[in-house]
Amino acid sequence: MKTKIALIGSREFIQRVETSIPYNLNNIELVPYIYVEPQEASLHIKNLTPCDAVLFSGALPYFFSKQECSTLSVPVLYLEQDETALVTSLLYILHHHGIEPDRVSIDLMDLSFIDHAQSDLHLKNPPRYAMDYKERLPHHFHIDDFTDFHRQLFHGGQTDMALTSIHAVYDRLVELHIPCMRMIDPAKSLIRTIHEAHAQSLLAKRKAATIAAARLSFQEWDGELELLHELSRLMNGTLQKNEDDASYTIYSNRGSIEHFMESTDFHSLFQLEHPVLGGFGYGPTAAEAEANAQTALAFAQKVDADGCAFILNEEKELSGPYPDKSKKQHLKNDTPDMLSLAKQLKLSPANLSKLVQFHKSRSARDFTAAELSDYMQITRRSTERILKKLVDNGSAKIIGEEMTYAQGRPRAVYELTFPIH
């Protein structure tokens, strides 16, 4: 399956990517999201369809979307501007327009790029007029400040051209009939960043698939087995009894455990009348994950008799105690956007919420009706009705089929196509 990367940028940037990269991207699919001004980039986050990574065209749109990106469960990167982009752009201006660097006004991410370029190239006429936005993000950044910077220098006769790394500034300078050029993003840097996004998405999937175990201790309560079965379902796990001490372990994967620990179900554990202590462990084998879970549980038992949990990963890094008030929590999906989406998809808000949580709990985008049925705890027929409804209105698609048995019909493999973030 191809790695799907959401590419967020200006129209010019998207067009450049589509036309200037004659590169073999057989394993990568770029899905464009276009904004007019960088401040609008954050609006795309809640409209992202299922993807494996998010790549911004630069630091500006990324910083304006940083808060919204904190809710994403996939890697988020941006194309970093560096000295190569600056030098390539100045060389282009000198070669094609005959304008020396000291007659060019420049806006860029960091003024240190100019110092580095001057030091490396020993420029005779280094740039004199530059403005950066590194210290202005995100609250003190205004497009007009940069437009005025270039305009005043040009009308004052101090410069002959403007070099901007902000596409919205370029558009305004064109309207003002001021000679200008967009900063060139070298194709090599762009390709490298796309492949970095691809690599990070694969790493995130492998990390999410790491074996995980959960050991829970319920004090003075006889109803623990029923709750353990429910927790096992919420963690997409398997409940097994330990014959040595008659305790229970839930085996799952890291992605499912971490998703569960961000949910209201996890926080509800520590609001029960009877204290709950938990230990979560990750490891390359089930035995190591269980051992780490037992160690984490021992820490919980030492720290808080009123209920808490710790995590011990495969690198023996301990984190906790949880729940931490600073941790993210999933609230009820009764927002206007969620209700509107449920109406659009012709689903109940409850089923839509379960569908979204099902997607977020998995490390893969594709799934079968049986997997969704197990998660939602509804019949296979009800699940297939929901999926048919989604496929019919274009909110899901069949991307393949799998044959898990020698006989019988192959099972369809689905992928969601509506915004789930």
Side-chain angles (χ1 to χ4, degrees):
M1 178 186 294
K2 287 187 175 183
T3 296
K4 187 176 291 187
I5 301 175
L7 188 63
I8 302 178
S10 67
R11 185 174 302 279
E12 293 80 2
F13 177 81
I14 299 298
Q15 290 174 345
R16 170 168 163 70
V17 171
E18 293 174 342
T19 60
S20 67
I21 302 186
Y23 199 79
N24 185 1
L25 297 177
N26 288 336
N27 296 321
I28 300 173
E29 179 184 353
L30 300 176
V31 182
Y33 293 85
I34 298 172
Y35 61 75
V36 177
E37 295 194 358
Q39 293 95 326
E40 300 171 4
S42 62
L43 301 178
H44 285 300
I45 300 302
K46 67 178 182 179
N47 295 319
L48 291 178
T49 57
C51 60
D52 302 302
V54 177
L55 175 58
F56 288 91
S57 60
L60 271 178
Y62 167 74
F63 279 104
F64 282 119
S65 310
K66 194 172 182 179
Q67 182 174 350
E68 288 77 5
C69 287
S70 64
T71 63
L72 300 180
S73 58
V74 297
V76 179
L77 301 84
Y78 63 90
L79 180 62
E80 294 189 34
Q81 190 180 78
D82 57 16
E83 292 83 356
T84 303
L86 173 63
V87 171
T88 301
S89 302
L90 290 175
L91 181 61
Y92 182 95
I93 292 174
L94 181 61
H95 180 74
H96 290 279
H97 299 282
I99 299 175
E100 295 286 343
D102 62 344
R103 297 288 300 174
V104 178
S105 59
I106 305 170
D107 66 60
L108 72 176
M109 176 66 176
D110 193 335
L111 288 177
S112 66
F113 297 160
I114 293 178
D115 296 332
H116 297 160
Q118 180 179 349
S119 175
D120 293 339
L121 302 177
H122 304 288
L123 297 175
K124 294 182 179 179
N125 300 307
R128 298 173 56 190
Y129 309 105
M131 183 176 183
D132 73 348
Y133 46 81
K134 181 179 180 180
E135 303 299 331
R136 297 169 177 258
L137 295 173
H139 304 297
H140 303 291
F141 176 90
H142 302 286
I143 293 290
D144 291 340
D145 293 343
F146 292 87
T147 304
D148 292 341
F149 165 73
H150 293 292
R151 179 181 56 79
Q152 292 173 7
L153 287 169
F154 178 75
H155 287 309
Q158 296 157 283
T159 59
D160 300 315
M161 177 170 280
L163 174 62
T164 177
S165 55
I166 307 169
H167 290 182
V169 171
Y170 172 83
D171 293 337
R172 296 189 182 186
L173 293 175
V174 170
E175 293 176 357
L176 295 171
H177 305 291
I178 295 175
C180 57
M181 191 183 91
R182 290 185 288 265
M183 190 80 71
I184 296 174
D185 296 311
K188 184 177 181 180
S189 299
L190 185 54
I191 292 171
R192 183 176 63 246
T193 306
I194 290 174
H195 281 280
E196 174 65 18
H198 178 226
Q200 286 199 24
S201 72
L202 295 180
L203 179 62
K205 288 182 179 180
R206 287 197 294 270
K207 182 179 178 181
T210 299
I211 298 174
R215 296 295 301 273
L216 301 173
S217 173
F218 303 87
Q219 301 178 34
E220 302 174 357
W221 189 36
D222 296 328
E224 61 182 70
L225 186 56
E226 180 181 350
L227 179 58
L228 280 170
H229 280 291
E230 174 63 12
L231 292 175
S232 179
R233 183 189 71 80
L234 292 171
M235 298 180 198
N236 290 326
T238 301
L239 180 64
Q240 292 190 13
K241 184 176 182 180
N242 305 303
E243 299 300 335
D244 294 340
D245 56 4
S247 62
Y248 290 86
T249 300
I250 297 174
Y251 293 98
S252 184
N253 60 72
R254 181 170 182 165
S256 295
I257 292 290
E258 291 182 345
H259 172 72
F260 167 71
M261 292 184 69
E262 292 177 352
S263 70
T264 53
D265 293 306
F266 173 71
H267 290 264
S268 297
L269 269 180
F270 304 96
Q271 298 170 4
L272 296 174
E273 179 181 354
H274 305 279
V276 177
L277 299 173
F280 298 89
Y282 307 144
T285 66
E288 183 174 335
E290 183 180 1
N292 287 340
Q294 184 59 45
T295 301
L297 177 59
F299 275 93
Q301 291 168 335
K302 292 178 182 178
V303 170
D304 192 347
D306 293 329
C308 68
F310 278 81
I311 299 175
L312 185 63
N313 66 17
E314 62 272 32
E315 297 175 354
K316 304 301 181 183
E317 295 174 339
L318 184 71
S319 57
Y322 298 95
D324 185 337
K325 293 180 180 179
S326 66
K327 297 291 287 184
K328 294 182 293 183
Q329 296 188 35
H330 292 300
L331 304 179
K332 291 189 298 183
N333 289 314
D334 56 1
T335 63
D337 286 345
M338 185 60 70
L339 293 174
S340 174
L341 185 58
K343 185 176 181 180
Q344 175 187 331
L345 302 181
K346 300 179 180 178
L347 290 178
S348 69
N351 280 338
L352 175 58
S353 175
K354 291 178 181 178
L355 195 61
V356 170
Q357 298 307 319
F358 168 72
H359 171 81
K360 291 184 177 181
S361 72
R362 296 168 53 81
S363 59
R365 298 194 315 271
D366 58 308
F367 62 93
T368 64
E371 290 169 334
L372 181 59
S373 177
D374 288 342
Y375 181 86
M376 296 182 69
Q377 292 289 284
I378 57 177
T379 65
R380 180 71 173 271
R381 180 173 295 181
S382 296
T383 304
E384 289 176 344
R385 282 201 297 266
I386 290 175
L387 288 172
K388 183 179 185 305
K389 190 180 298 184
L390 291 173
V391 171
D392 288 346
N393 65 31
S395 302
K397 62 182 179 180
I398 298 175
I399 61 173
E401 56 185 26
E402 66 176 19
M403 192 74 175
T404 55
Y405 303 100
Q407 297 179 342
R409 292 187 303 169
R411 300 192 302 183
V413 178
Y414 297 86
E415 179 178 302
L416 300 178
T417 60
F418 65 88
I420 51 86
H421 297 291

